[in-house]
């Protein structure tokens, strides 16, 4: 498996072709991607007999890390205004349709999409990745616009948009594309689609609970805790959201216990439940909210 230092260098080299790309985007992508791959590597080895895809193939690993870095960069392009609105619109168009960006300064978008198209074990996964990217970008825009507007969403509307903007679908689809996890076939099963929604809701609530104090301090309103307090002053929002999180987790566990899914997906879902807690405790550049982490921000 590629060493983290070498992987980081490779992701940074690619990221330099994206205006506004920062070291942080590469660091978090490599850290998170390495954690996910370590958790599911035994299952990837088991299916490699069928797919011929080596879990330690450096080309596949780097493509996965770059997709994660892209998601972090897109998040900050929306939240922090790293690039101009017209640039962001062109980037979204390119990434969502697998085309070169119409504006200079974003060559890495076409490079990554072309590499994923060439590497796809199942072409259906590549088509779905483009669709998931369009949904992710639209959700980021909608959340940003809603938070800045005068009309509040309901909690249900916020959570539905937040499920798309947590980008778990992109992560899963990219893994399936690279290592042949057969996600395109599994998506036809209602129980699998329910799992995708539940794990994404869990990720969204974990994110918002962790980032509520920081978001409030900087005037960020795109957070479930802040939204609920605006609608219902005095509401015990932390207790409510923790109850919601526990409920989604129990529902996820029930579906996973009742339905038969490939072992890789069990390992992957477990990894994604655990990854937020790991990030929030260890990341010194993006996720930590204590004084040791400095002036970071929470993820989208």
């Amino acid at each position: 498996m590629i060493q983290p230092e070498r992987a980081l260098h490779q992701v940074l080299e690619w990221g330099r072709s994206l205006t506004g790309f920062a070291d942080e985007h590469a660091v978090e992508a490599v850290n998170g991607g390495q954690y996910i791959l370590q958790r599911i590597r035994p299952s990837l080895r088991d299916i490699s007999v069928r797919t011929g895809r080596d879990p330690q193939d450096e080309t596949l690993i780097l493509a996965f890390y770059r997709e994660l870095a892209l998601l972090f960069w897109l998040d900050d392009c929306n939240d922090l205004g790293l690039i101009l609105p017209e640039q962001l619109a062109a980037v979204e168009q390119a990434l969502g349709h697998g085309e070169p960006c119409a504006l200079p300064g974003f060559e890495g978008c076409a490079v990554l999409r072309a590499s994923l198209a060439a590497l796809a074990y199942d072409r259906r996964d590549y088509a779905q990745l483009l669709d998931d990217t369009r949904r992710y970008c639209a959700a980021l825009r909608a959340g940003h616009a809603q938070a800045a507007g005068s009309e509040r969403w309901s909690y249900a509307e916020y959570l539905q948009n937040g499920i798309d903007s947590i980008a778990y679908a992109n992560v899963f689809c990219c893994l399936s594309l690279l290592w042949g996890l057969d996600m395109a076939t599994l998506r036809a099963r209602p129980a699998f689609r329910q799992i995708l929604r539940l794990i994404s809701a869990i990720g969204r609530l974990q994110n918002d609970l962790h980032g509520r104090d920081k978001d409030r301090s900087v005037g960020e309103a795109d957070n479930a805790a802040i939204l609920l307090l605006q609608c219902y002053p005095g509401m015990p929002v932390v207790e409510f959201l923790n109850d919601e999180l526990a409920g989604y987790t129990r529902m996820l566990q029930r579906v996973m216990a009742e339905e038969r899914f490939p072992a890789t997906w069990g390992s992957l879902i477990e990894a994604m439940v655990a990854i937020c807690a790991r990030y929030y405790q260890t990341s010194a550049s993006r996720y930590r909210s204590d004084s040791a982490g400095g002036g970071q921000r929470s993820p989208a």
Side-chain angles (χ1 to χ4, degrees), residues 7 9-15 18 21 25 29-30 58-72 108 111-113 115-116 174:
H9 174 74
Q10 296 282 346
V11 176
L12 285 169
E13 282 291 306
W14 163 79
L18 297 176
F21 190 88
H25 302 133
V30 172
E58 292 189 6
T59 299
L60 302 181
I61 293 169
L62 285 171
F64 179 52
Y65 291 170
R66 286 168 180 156
E67 180 68 15
L68 294 183
L70 178 80
L71 297 174
F72 285 121
V111 169
L112 180 57
R113 284 293 172 264
S115 70
L116 290 174
C174 187

Side-chain angles (χ1 to χ4, degrees), residues 33-51:
Q34 182 183 31
Y35 175 77
I36 293 170
L37 292 179
Q38 285 175 340
R39 291 287 298 264
I40 68 173
R41 190 180 302 140
S43 297
L44 291 181
R45 281 199 298 264
D46 291 341
I47 66 171
S48 66
V49 176
R50 170 180 62 84
T51 63

Side-chain angles (χ1 to χ4, degrees), residues 4 13 70 73 86 106 110 119 139 150 155 193 195 204 222 227 231-232 241 251 264 268 285 293:
E13 282 291 306
L70 178 80
W73 174 71
E86 57 268 27
F106 304 99
L119 292 169
S150 58
Y155 171 70
R193 296 196 298 273
I195 281 175
R204 169 51 53 199
D222 193 19
L227 172 70
C231 295
Y232 308 104
L241 292 177
M251 288 190 287
T264 307
L268 181 53
S285 62

Side-chain angles (χ1 to χ4, degrees), residues 12-223:
L12 285 169
E13 282 291 306
W14 163 79
R16 289 195 180 98
S17 65
L18 297 176
T19 301
F21 190 88
D23 289 0
E24 172 192 313
H25 302 133
V27 170
E28 297 302 342
V30 172
N31 287 344
Q34 182 183 31
Y35 175 77
I36 293 170
L37 292 179
Q38 285 175 340
R39 291 287 298 264
I40 68 173
R41 190 180 302 140
S43 297
L44 291 181
R45 281 199 298 264
D46 291 341
I47 66 171
S48 66
V49 176
R50 170 180 62 84
T51 63
R53 296 292 174 99
D54 184 352
Q56 300 192 72
D57 186 310
E58 292 189 6
T59 299
L60 302 181
I61 293 169
L62 285 171
F64 179 52
Y65 291 170
R66 286 168 180 156
E67 180 68 15
L68 294 183
L70 178 80
L71 297 174
F72 285 121
W73 174 71
L74 282 172
D75 178 13
D76 284 350
C77 284
N78 277 271
D79 286 356
L80 305 180
L82 299 180
I83 60 178
L84 298 172
E86 57 268 27
Q87 292 175 318
L88 181 56
V91 165
E92 291 176 351
Q93 176 68 21
L95 291 172
H97 294 86
E99 303 168 353
C101 185
L103 300 176
F106 304 99
E107 290 77 12
C109 296
V111 169
L112 180 57
R113 284 293 172 264
S115 70
L116 290 174
L119 292 169
Y121 182 83
D122 186 332
R123 289 289 301 182
R124 294 177 298 171
D125 280 333
Y126 180 69
Q128 186 63 55
L129 183 70
L130 297 180
D131 185 61
D132 289 339
T133 301
R134 293 193 294 271
R135 188 176 297 109
Y136 174 60
C137 291
L140 290 177
R141 284 198 312 273
H144 191 266
Q146 182 276 331
S150 58
E151 184 176 350
R152 296 192 189 110
W153 274 344
S154 67
Y155 171 70
E157 289 170 317
Y158 170 83
L159 186 59
Q160 182 57 54
N161 192 72
I163 285 172
D164 290 334
S165 69
I166 201 67
Y168 281 12
N170 283 70
V171 176
F172 296 148
C173 192
C174 187
L175 286 166
S176 182
L177 179 155
L178 294 170
W179 280 283
L181 305 189
D182 203 24
M183 188 174 180
T185 300
L186 290 172
R187 280 181 189 264
R189 296 173 58 177
F192 185 78
R193 296 196 298 273
Q194 184 182 13
I195 281 175
L196 292 182
R197 187 179 190 282
L198 290 170
I199 188 61
S200 297
I202 288 168
R204 169 51 53 199
L205 294 178
Q206 286 175 323
N207 177 91
D208 287 5
L209 280 165
H210 171 78
R212 68 189 186 280
D213 292 336
K214 184 183 298 180
D215 286 346
R216 184 169 50 199
S217 69
V218 299
E220 172 61 64
D222 193 19
N223 181 300

